[in-house]
Amino acid sequence: MKNLLSALFAAALLSNLTACQQETPPVPLTPKPEFRVDLGPDPHSYAEYDQVQVRHLTLDLDADMATRTLSGHVLLELDRPDPAHKRLVLDTRDLDIQDVTVVGPEGEYRPVSWRLGPVLSEDQAHLGQPLVIILPQGISQVRVDYQSSPDAFGLQWLDGNQTSSGQPFMFSQSQPHYARTWVPLQDTPAVRYTFDATVRGPRDLMVVMGADGNPFERNTKGEYRFSMPQPVPSYLMAIAIGDLEFAEIGPRSGVYAEPDWIERAAAEFHQLEEMIDIGEQLYGEYRWGRYDLLVLPPSFPFGGMENPRLSYVTPTIIAGDGSLLALVAHELAHSWSGNLVTNASWRDLWLNEGFTVYFESRIMEQIYSPEVVAMLARLDWDGLQASLPELEAGDRQLVRDLSGKDPEGAFISVPYDMGRFFLDWIESRIGREDLDVFLRQYFDEFAFESIDTETFRDYLDTHLIQTHSGALTLAEVDQWLYEPGMPEFAVAPESDALARVDAQRARWQGGEMALNDLSTDDWSVYEWLHFLSGLEGPLPTEVLAAMDAEFALTDSTNVEILYLWLQHSIDAEYAPGIERLEQFLIEVGRNKFTRPLYTALAASDWGRDWAIEVYQRARPGYHPLTRQAAERALGIDSEG
Ligand SMILES: [Zn+2]
């Protein structure tokens, strides 16, 4: 309450000033020096983590599905390497801070001086507000009592009519910097901490977290306890509440989903335990205990999120034939690259994602075949080559300066695919066996640490470049890291299967071959994706109708194939495709699909008004991130 009152008082003062500014000299609103704050060493956090670091969190929260809030407190345990530094600055965004106390020598709670600072500037509003707490000498525990906002950007609350079970659902998405919308903390990947949590939710729903302690069955009291004994960065904090069931897959793996999805999910992901074994054979022990998946409602804005011990996945990858399992391999691979060895800031995101896409391909190679991986690599290569010319120079390189920018913009294909081709290139120079030895050592060396690109670069120089004289140079590595575009010496992946698709597509589009003579019977989903993405368009409506009659593409149950088909349908204004598109946009909130579809509609000469009308109906079921991206694509006001 203290803070709300002071905000009201400040507002009253301000309005007073405008009314009588001629007579009264301006009242200084500048805070006292001890409360003055700027961004910390990480440009996306106020945390002064070089002076004081959070080491452990204890969360105690009540979840209220009706008011869409989490409320309770967090106890933060601190390391104070610089005892002369007398304050703790936490990141918060839209949190109602109710009280801040510290724990005295006898374990008693004592009041302290604290203040919620202003938003830095309008275009930096996504960073939220710093919570400045004055630390008395010798104090190493701080308690913050707070409540999250119903509009917390990092939480999505769904009504029963937006889920398959008919029950409400809530899930978090903390990456990159949304943990601060549901916990006041040092919200930077540079800081790692362990945590415990007690969460009370409705008795008829289940609470799960990216932590140890997930239940296999509902707890009749509605109270759940969790712990995370390995230190993690804040973006990996994860919570979800819903009508969940659990299905076991292996001794340390399983899947959580709403009742309607659980059987299909368990069947689709039946190779999960095998994938963990493959990961361990490649790069060493899986260090997180269990590995479970949580299938979210279709409004989940991403394909997957690598929350430790409990990765979140979209139901859109449940294709019925395991054809979209690469996403699961990706989230699992993050248990090493990303969760175990973590980028110290979003500038270094490629350390998480590039390694993970490479690792994912190695898992896929063993689950499927080298031919499948060659197809996936070629698809990624083509996608990257298509996107590079559209990016500014600074965004076309692995290490990107994101200061002053929303880190949401870090998640483009460059850190993922160019990062992976960088590792492919090292493999081509020194051989797979030596690269595997290096990667295993690297994961051991930096396990449970957050590192920057330069730390990796030094390690690479000492342990790989210098031990493989002449195979590759630091200058070549620097070109990958710090110069825009793919180096001319990058190795393009080749796929014979996709080359055969190219040949057939060209003959058909060149009029040398009839549609029904295309030999598509043995095509995998990857061949279909390549076929569809390489079509010379826009295609006439009658060609789409003929393709539909032959291949039933409008009815495809594979979301990736359907997505490309819908793009062609927009270009051709193909009615059956547009009808399917409407249903798709209302059901699916995965940004990878919704953002480009709305963008294409906005750019078409017929689709913008139609898209805005569909968007208004779909909006209640979309995640805030999906809304933000769709509204930008459609050029409409965020409140529209
Ligand atoms: Zn990833």
Side-chain angles (χ1 to χ4, degrees):
M1 292 319 286
K2 178 170 151 193
N3 213 59
L4 181 63
L5 282 177
S6 64
L8 286 173
F9 181 64
L13 254 183
L14 271 174
S15 60
N16 217 16
L17 274 178
T18 23
C20 56
Q21 52 190 298
Q22 300 304 321
E23 290 85 8
T24 324
V27 173
L29 287 174
T30 320
K32 290 183 194 160
E34 65 265 35
F35 286 114
R36 249 173 253 157
V37 183
D38 207 343
L39 292 169
D42 177 338
H44 301 119
S45 169
Y46 290 101
E48 299 165 327
Y49 59 84
D50 44 350
Q51 323 265 12
V52 49
Q53 286 204 7
V54 173
R55 281 290 168 226
H56 185 82
L57 299 184
T58 306
L59 275 167
D60 190 292
L61 295 172
D62 285 286
D64 187 329
M65 307 302 278
T67 59
R68 302 185 160 202
T69 53
L70 294 175
S71 58
H73 67 262
V74 61
L75 185 69
L76 305 142
E77 289 172 39
L78 311 174
D79 242 11
R80 297 179 63 181
D82 177 6
H85 187 77
K86 294 221 164 51
R87 68 180 191 180
L88 170 68
V89 183
L90 301 176
D91 293 296
T92 76
R93 179 174 162 189
D94 298 332
L95 291 179
D96 175 15
I97 306 294
Q98 293 155 344
D99 200 9
V100 182
T101 46
V102 295
V103 181
E106 310 294 323
E108 78 286 9
Y109 285 104
R110 291 184 185 174
V112 273
S113 201
W114 60 277
R115 181 188 163 122
L116 201 54
V119 168
L120 200 62
S121 65
E122 192 151 328
D123 60 343
Q124 299 273 59
H126 60 92
L127 297 176
Q129 295 169 267
L131 173 60
V132 186
I133 301 159
I134 304 304
L135 290 177
Q137 197 149 19
I139 290 297
S140 62
Q141 287 182 302
V142 173
R143 172 174 157 154
V144 183
D145 287 69
Y146 70 99
Q147 181 168 11
S148 68
S149 156
D151 301 316
F153 209 81
L155 302 176
Q156 188 177 17
W157 303 84
L158 295 166
D159 291 333
N161 58 16
Q162 292 159 341
T163 64
S164 70
S165 64
Q167 294 287 334
F169 203 107
M170 183 279 277
F171 63 85
S172 64
Q173 169 58 37
S174 298
Q175 194 185 33
H177 63 324
Y178 307 127
R180 66 188 72 178
T181 70
W182 63 283
V183 188
L185 39 58
Q186 291 180 314
D187 199 8
T188 162
V191 174
R192 312 179 74 101
Y193 52 82
T194 52
F195 70 85
D196 296 296
T198 303
V199 185
R200 286 164 296 276
R203 284 161 193 259
D204 53 347
L205 300 179
M206 188 191 280
V207 182
V208 291
M209 285 191 85
D212 186 26
N214 283 310
F216 301 130
E217 285 180 353
R218 216 159 291 169
N219 156 341
T220 49
K221 277 166 59 192
E223 181 174 288
Y224 297 84
R225 287 172 192 277
F226 306 93
S227 70
M228 176 53 90
Q230 292 92 358
V232 289
S234 55
Y235 77 89
L236 294 176
M237 285 290 271
I239 186 170
I241 303 174
D243 183 7
L244 296 173
E245 287 185 1
F246 174 77
E248 184 182 288
I249 292 173
R252 55 182 166 170
S253 58
V255 58
Y256 291 87
E258 287 196 296
D260 266 10
W261 284 99
I262 193 75
E263 255 178 62
R264 270 180 288 169
E268 193 83 14
F269 306 135
H270 70 276
Q271 286 158 305
L272 190 59
E273 189 78 24
E274 193 187 329
M275 288 176 150
I276 306 170
D277 294 341
I278 293 169
E280 289 195 311
Q281 286 155 22
L282 285 170
Y283 302 126
E285 187 197 355
Y286 175 78
R287 305 187 202 209
W288 304 89
R290 291 193 60 83
Y291 185 70
D292 297 313
L293 297 176
L294 170 64
V295 177
L296 292 172
S299 66
F300 182 50
F302 298 104
M305 178 60 212
E306 65 267 24
N307 299 317
R309 293 171 189 251
L310 183 69
S311 288
Y312 288 11
V313 295
T314 166
T316 61
I317 58 160
I318 301 177
D321 56 5
S323 58
L324 302 179
L325 272 188
L327 187 127
V328 174
H330 181 95
E331 304 314 330
L332 171 66
H334 270 307
S335 304
W336 287 263
S337 44
N339 299 4
L340 188 62
V341 181
T342 306
N343 54 214
S345 77
W346 302 115
R347 160 191 184 269
D348 307 303
L349 178 66
W350 79 274
L351 286 176
N352 279 16
E353 298 300 348
F355 280 74
T356 296
V357 178
Y358 176 79
F359 194 165
E360 163 200 334
S361 77
R362 298 291 303 277
I363 296 173
M364 290 298 282
E365 186 176 294
Q366 293 199 39
I367 293 279
Y368 293 103
S369 64
E371 185 53 38
V372 162
V373 168
M375 288 194 277
L376 281 165
R378 185 71 212 188
L379 288 167
D380 286 348
W381 177 274
D382 291 345
L384 181 62
Q385 295 293 355
S387 69
L388 283 174
E390 289 166 20
L391 298 171
E392 286 174 25
D395 293 335
R396 277 187 267 132
Q397 62 198 41
L398 289 179
V399 181
R400 295 163 62 207
D401 180 12
L402 295 166
S403 42
K405 295 181 185 163
D406 188 334
E408 192 61 46
F411 298 82
I412 58 174
S413 60
V414 172
Y416 290 75
D417 298 327
M418 199 192 285
R420 172 260 176 80
F421 293 122
F422 170 55
L423 289 166
D424 276 354
W425 167 77
I426 298 179
E427 186 188 307
S428 77
R429 293 289 179 92
I430 65 163
R432 177 172 278 195
E433 218 171 293
D434 282 14
L435 177 58
D436 281 352
V437 170
F438 169 79
L439 289 176
R440 209 178 239 266
Q441 280 174 353
Y442 165 74
F443 289 130
D444 277 343
E445 174 78 21
F446 298 107
F448 301 112
E449 287 183 33
S450 301
I451 64 167
D452 61 14
T453 300
E454 289 63 36
T455 304
F456 164 78
R457 181 182 174 277
D458 288 349
Y459 190 78
L460 183 83
D461 188 27
T462 313
H463 294 88
L464 194 144
I465 298 177
Q466 291 179 23
T467 57
H468 292 80
S469 81
L472 69 167
T473 67
L474 204 52
E476 288 172 317
V477 167
D478 285 348
Q479 188 173 339
W480 278 100
L481 299 177
Y482 304 112
E483 287 178 38
M486 285 275 247
E488 61 288 353
F489 47 79
V491 187
E494 297 299 340
S495 158
D496 294 342
L498 296 188
R500 286 192 293 273
V501 171
D502 284 334
Q504 286 205 63
R505 190 197 318 97
R507 289 187 61 206
W508 170 59
Q509 288 212 291
E512 298 162 39
M513 190 186 212
L515 187 64
N516 56 11
D517 288 334
L518 287 171
S519 48
T520 59
D521 288 354
D522 313 328
W523 278 6
S524 65
V525 62
Y526 320 110
E527 282 149 313
W528 272 110
L529 294 175
H530 188 63
F531 177 76
L532 289 169
S533 62
L535 286 172
E536 296 269 352
L539 299 165
T541 311
E542 53 279 15
V543 171
L544 266 75
M547 289 172 73
D548 228 357
E550 190 71 26
F551 309 122
L553 291 163
T554 299
D555 297 328
S556 176
T557 53
N558 186 295
V559 72
E560 299 279 353
I561 291 177
L562 180 64
Y563 163 71
L564 291 179
W565 181 246
L566 295 176
Q567 283 279 16
H568 285 299
S569 300
I570 292 170
D571 293 345
E573 207 181 333
Y574 172 59
I578 304 301
E579 216 173 287
R580 183 76 185 84
L581 173 63
E582 178 175 357
Q583 184 195 353
F584 183 82
L585 288 172
I586 286 172
E587 280 168 12
V588 175
R590 187 174 165 192
N591 232 336
K592 174 185 175 184
F593 304 129
T594 50
R595 177 174 38 199
L597 287 169
Y598 280 119
T599 304
L601 284 164
S604 71
D605 48 11
W606 65 274
R608 184 166 178 268
D609 290 346
W610 180 83
I612 291 171
E613 190 273 316
V614 173
Y615 170 72
Q616 299 297 2
R617 280 187 285 137
R619 187 179 185 276
Y622 284 164
H623 188 276
L625 274 165
T626 306
R627 290 180 189 176
Q628 179 177 281
E631 284 163 9
R632 281 181 189 158
L634 292 168
I636 55 176
D637 200 300
S638 59
E639 295 309 309

